Amino acid sequence: MVQTAAMTLTPPTEHQVLVFFVALVVVIVVAKSLGALMRRIGQPSVVGELAAGLILGPSLLGRVAPDVTDWLFPDDAAQTAMLFTVGWLGVMLLLVSTGFETDLGLIRRLGGAAAWVSTGSLIVPMAAGLFVGWSIPSVFVGEETERYVFALFIAAALSISSLPVIAKILTEMGLMRRNFGQLTLAAGMANDVLGWLLLGFVAGLARGGLDIGKLAFTVVGLGVFFVFAFTVGKRLVDLSLRRVRLNGDDPVSGLVVVLVTALVFGVITQWLHVEAVLGAFVAGVVLARSRFAEHRLIAPVESVTTAFLAPVFFATAGLRVDLGLLADLETLAWALLVVAVASVSKFAGAWVGARFGQLSSREGAALGVGLNARGALEVVIATVGLSLGVLNERSYTIVVLMAMATSMLAPPLLRRVLRDFDGNAKERDRLDREAVLAANSVVTDKGVLLATRGGISSMLAAQVIATAWPEDTPVTLLTVGDHDVDLRPFRAVLAGHRVHHVVVEDGEHVADAITREALLGYGAIAMGAAVDADSGGVVSPLVDEVVMHAPVPVVVVRMQRDHGHRLPWAFARAVVPVNGSAASVGGVEVAGHLSASLGTHLHLVYVDTAPERRGSRSGGVGGLRDAAGGRHVLDQVSAHMTRVGANFTATLERATSPADAVVASVEELDADLVVVSGAQRNDGGAPVLGNTIERVLDRCGATLVLVVSPNRRREPAAGRAETERMPAGVGR
């Protein structure tokens, strides 16, 4: 019989578990309390969380109550591992969230500037570190190392930025979507990768010889990892998130996909001798690029990280720092010099790189300040140097102090640098456009599903998508079976959009297939409807069925009855009825963005149907109130149209029938487009769009865009009046 050795998994003792939980409570309470205090004085909470470690460590509590510190944070490997593991999980998840917010498209457009900033912010601090390493007195050099190894180590320490701290600062200050914010992330990642490679080189020298094979393994392995992540890795993420969507969009299943992806990518980069947080960051980027992902996928990770895990990581950074060693004047003087050299060199390198990259001086200064944050990862580097004998206690304290000082100074300096700085006009336009899209309910940056049989009506629907939706919005063309559909015209019309193709098998119920596909994270469904379609319903049997069951807004485009000499998509004038309800917002969004793109003149119409009352030219008190409400609605919609850059006029009209007023406006203006919208309702299995919309559909000969929003569950009575009016994206 073959005997196998039993696994030696030694669980922590009851006392170790008790100390761990008590220490965890103390760290979280102090870190969150100081974080809240920092926010009250206008600073990001990360400053307070970093300070918590200094207060709880040997610098303060260790001197005032050493017995308490020894009990909370004993010199025990298992105890230390438990606490620090929680922190490292926190920083991994923080980097997943950061990667999810990283815009590779924007970084690519700013590629030249990113390259210059990355190069400058790495080379200048590295040169400064070499100078400091050669100049510092021998009492700071580890006894078991050579001077050139020590100098190279200091160069590596000064060149690295802390991506976790940078991410936390940018997020809390609301700067993540700024141009310089995305550039800071890109440069910070480049600094980290190259800095860790340099650290591996120095570690090999410190151990008695450089392991060329190990270094080559890391360099080649990283290249393979990045290719794998954005090809095979992305495909696997797509398949996993697609299955989650099809199974009912269970948030727990989505969270499992996020965590497994982050851990697998982290394991790979850690195996390649680069920190696991780099893998977690790439995991976030890959997850965000999946067409089946949306922000709520990452929301649970952000919540638990912000509330619990990340503060532990930042607080534990200072637990090993003993500022008492700075009582020695020589150590204090060199510590201040190292902090100054590290700060100035990183700032100068980033600023010069930004100027070569044709960025403004303010952007260069912001990049220099942001990249100066070195944070807890620098503490890890210092610990490695101490264990290798490259650093001694005095130089270790200097390096850690430099990390803490640069991290805590970055937020207030960044706030000062960016005071009254909104970026250039192009950046402001982009940020404003993103804010509008984020508040929209129909025209968003989510994917659009276009169901088509290849007809001219669905081609017109593609034109509406191309002009009303932002560029780069993914569009999926859904066709049925082996029917010969030439997709080349659609791809030409949708140039600038990422176009996918999905085929529904012959024999499958088409409406069911469309609504099932729409569950996979689309923002809207688009369909074309022929004028001479078999009415059998409100629009056509297929459109009616999709409208009744769609989980997302449906945009139906019906061509004009008589083309005449006019191209179907040459929209010069459009009539857009508005009534202030949430259901009418979809049409306002589509019309506004279409006008901003094509220059179409929009005629916004609010129809006052309050009955005239005798003895009052204004229609009596009721008529006055309704007219005032109409003007308020038109003011809201006009503000939205102005913000998106639409060309419009707004009119308040009185009529007994809104449909008659809309049709009359179309005929009077010779309008070639009408945009109407309503809410999803059904009566006995048939869609009900309301008398006004159905009469307009029946009587209007112009091209018509119908936007039908899903029937959202009503809010409780206390909030109903507000939710049934215009949402935040329109006029607020």
Side-chain angles (χ1 to χ4, degrees):
M1 179 180 291
V2 179
Q3 293 184 341
T4 57
M7 295 181 67
T8 57
L9 295 177
T10 305
T13 65
E14 184 178 346
H15 177 72
Q16 286 176 322
V17 173
L18 172 65
V19 172
F20 165 69
F21 281 119
V22 173
L24 200 58
V25 170
V26 171
V27 167
I28 291 173
V29 169
V30 174
K32 297 299 289 184
S33 299
L34 290 176
L37 177 62
M38 289 297 107
R39 285 197 302 272
R40 292 192 65 175
I41 62 175
Q43 297 300 325
S45 62
V46 66
V47 176
E49 292 166 2
L50 288 166
L54 297 176
I55 292 173
L56 294 173
S59 298
L60 183 60
L61 186 62
R63 296 186 179 277
V64 177
D67 293 339
V68 175
T69 302
D70 291 342
W71 191 90
L72 280 174
F73 312 110
D75 187 13
D76 179 271
Q79 205 80 61
T80 302
M82 286 191 289
L83 187 61
F84 277 72
T85 298
V86 173
W88 277 103
L89 283 174
V91 76
M92 281 191 67
L93 296 183
L94 175 64
L95 265 295
V96 173
S97 301
T98 304
F100 204 86
E101 300 295 335
T102 301
D103 188 342
L104 290 185
L106 176 58
I107 293 174
R108 194 181 302 115
R109 291 194 294 273
L110 299 169
W116 278 111
V117 172
S118 299
T119 302
S121 62
L122 186 72
I123 291 179
V124 176
M126 193 177 294
L130 284 171
F131 176 77
V132 170
W134 279 108
S135 304
I136 199 169
S138 299
V139 292
F140 295 98
V141 181
E143 295 180 358
E144 302 175 7
T145 192
E146 299 291 334
R147 168 68 73 166
Y148 77 94
V149 175
F150 176 83
L152 286 171
F153 187 90
I154 297 299
L158 264 64
S159 64
I160 288 177
S161 299
S162 178
L163 201 55
V165 176
I166 291 170
K168 182 77 169 177
I169 292 171
L170 292 175
T171 300
E172 291 195 0
M173 296 181 69
L175 301 172
M176 189 70 79
R177 293 299 305 166
R178 295 290 298 272
N179 284 356
F180 87 87
Q182 294 290 307
L183 284 174
T184 303
L185 290 177
M189 184 177 70
N191 282 189
D192 275 8
V193 170
L194 294 175
W196 280 94
L197 289 175
L198 179 58
L199 184 64
F201 175 80
V202 175
L205 293 176
R207 292 189 180 101
L210 179 61
D211 189 342
I212 298 295
K214 183 177 179 181
L215 190 62
F217 171 76
T218 300
V219 174
V220 175
L222 279 174
V224 173
F225 166 70
F226 282 117
V227 172
F228 164 81
F230 290 99
T231 53
V232 178
K234 183 178 180 300
R235 184 175 294 274
L236 291 174
V237 166
D238 279 348
L239 290 173
S240 301
L241 292 179
R242 186 177 190 277
R243 183 174 294 276
V244 169
R245 291 279 191 180
L246 289 176
N247 290 339
D249 206 13
D250 176 21
V252 174
S253 300
L255 181 60
V256 169
V257 174
V258 172
L259 295 178
V260 169
T261 305
L263 290 172
V264 169
F265 281 26
V267 165
I268 294 173
T269 52
Q270 192 71 43
W271 175 59
L272 293 172
H273 311 298
V274 181
E275 61 203 32
V277 294
L278 175 64
F281 177 77
V282 175
V285 175
V286 171
L287 286 163
R289 288 176 64 81
S290 171
R291 62 193 179 100
F292 305 115
E294 56 184 5
H295 190 269
R296 63 177 175 172
L297 179 71
I298 206 74
V301 173
E302 291 179 337
S303 298
V304 72
T305 302
T306 302
F308 173 49
L309 294 174
V312 176
F313 173 78
F314 293 120
T316 52
L319 288 177
R320 298 184 61 179
V321 180
D322 186 1
L323 297 181
L325 294 175
L326 299 178
D328 176 67
L329 292 181
E330 185 180 28
T331 303
L332 177 61
W334 276 100
L336 295 176
L337 180 62
V338 168
V339 170
V341 170
S343 300
V344 172
S345 62
K346 180 69 79 171
F347 180 91
W351 188 86
V352 171
R355 298 300 288 157
F356 272 106
Q358 298 183 339
L359 300 178
S360 68
S361 294
R362 293 283 289 276
E363 287 176 304
L367 284 160
V369 172
L371 289 170
N372 244 313
R374 290 170 172 86
L377 294 182
E378 195 73 68
V379 180
V380 176
I381 293 171
T383 304
V384 171
L386 188 64
S387 65
L388 291 173
V390 176
L391 303 181
N392 56 28
E393 289 293 335
R394 298 173 78 180
S395 52
Y396 169 83
T397 300
I398 289 175
V399 173
V400 172
L401 177 66
M402 179 263 293
M404 301 298 290
T406 53
S407 299
M408 296 177 75
L409 286 172
L413 290 176
L414 195 57
R415 192 180 299 279
R416 184 174 182 82
V417 167
L418 293 174
R419 184 178 298 167
D420 301 325
F421 178 66
D422 297 325
N424 57 36
K426 190 174 181 180
E427 181 182 6
R428 290 195 299 272
D429 289 344
R430 176 181 63 81
L431 293 172
D432 195 49
R433 184 170 61 252
E434 289 179 357
V436 170
L437 292 174
N440 280 354
S441 59
V442 178
V443 181
T444 68
D445 56 2
K446 291 183 180 180
V448 180
L449 177 63
L450 173 58
T452 178
R453 293 190 177 99
I456 190 68
S457 59
S458 56
M459 182 70 72
L460 180 55
Q463 179 68 24
V464 170
I465 295 170
T467 52
W469 268 258
E471 285 190 3
D472 293 335
T473 302
V475 179
T476 298
L477 302 173
L478 185 146
T479 59
V480 179
D482 296 327
H483 296 288
D484 188 17
V485 178
D486 186 1
L487 298 181
R488 288 175 299 177
F490 289 90
R491 294 183 183 276
V493 169
L494 294 166
H497 294 261
R498 291 173 285 160
V499 180
H500 307 278
H501 182 207
V502 173
V503 180
V504 177
E505 298 297 331
D506 275 324
E508 187 173 359
H509 190 62
V510 178
D512 288 346
I514 292 172
T515 53
R516 186 176 64 254
E517 179 71 21
L519 292 171
L520 300 179
Y522 294 94
I525 298 171
M527 303 180 72
V531 176
D532 56 353
D534 178 14
S535 60
V538 177
V539 182
S540 73
L542 176 60
V543 171
D544 289 357
E545 193 168 356
V546 172
V547 164
M548 280 193 298
H549 303 293
V552 297
V554 181
V555 180
V556 182
V557 182
R558 193 189 71 180
M559 289 177 54
Q560 61 198 79
R561 287 198 172 96
D562 180 15
H563 296 179
H565 65 279
R566 191 183 288 161
L567 289 174
W569 43 77
F571 304 128
R573 293 169 297 280
V575 174
V576 186
V578 297
N579 59 24
S581 68
S584 71
V585 171
V588 169
E589 292 174 9
V590 173
H593 288 281
L594 187 144
S595 172
S597 177
L598 293 179
T600 304
H601 184 86
L602 305 180
H603 184 67
L604 308 175
V605 182
Y606 182 96
V607 181
D608 179 0
T609 58
E612 293 277 356
R613 294 187 180 182
R614 280 188 191 175
S616 173
R617 291 183 219 172
S618 312
V621 176
L624 282 172
R625 287 177 178 170
D626 202 61
R631 285 192 292 271
H632 177 66
V633 169
L634 287 174
D635 287 344
Q636 285 188 306
V637 177
S638 297
H640 174 77
M641 292 299 185
T642 300
R643 190 176 185 189
V644 300
N647 177 21
F648 69 96
T649 55
T651 305
L652 177 67
E653 296 186 8
R654 180 177 294 281
T656 56
S657 168
D660 292 344
V662 171
V663 173
S665 294
V666 173
E667 294 174 351
E668 180 183 349
L669 296 169
D670 191 25
D672 40 25
L673 179 66
V674 180
V675 184
V676 295
S677 53
Q680 181 188 72
R681 292 180 293 168
N682 66 79
D683 180 18
V688 177
L689 299 177
N691 182 63
T692 299
I693 292 178
E694 292 179 12
R695 289 189 67 180
V696 170
L697 282 169
D698 183 57
R699 298 178 55 194
C700 184
T703 298
L704 189 140
V705 175
L706 168 64
V707 182
V708 184
S709 300
N711 187 16
R712 308 294 186 189
R713 182 176 297 177
R714 286 176 177 264
E715 301 290 334
R720 184 172 301 162
E722 183 65 25
T723 58
E724 291 181 348
R725 307 302 290 179
M726 289 288 180
V730 180
R732 291 189 188 168

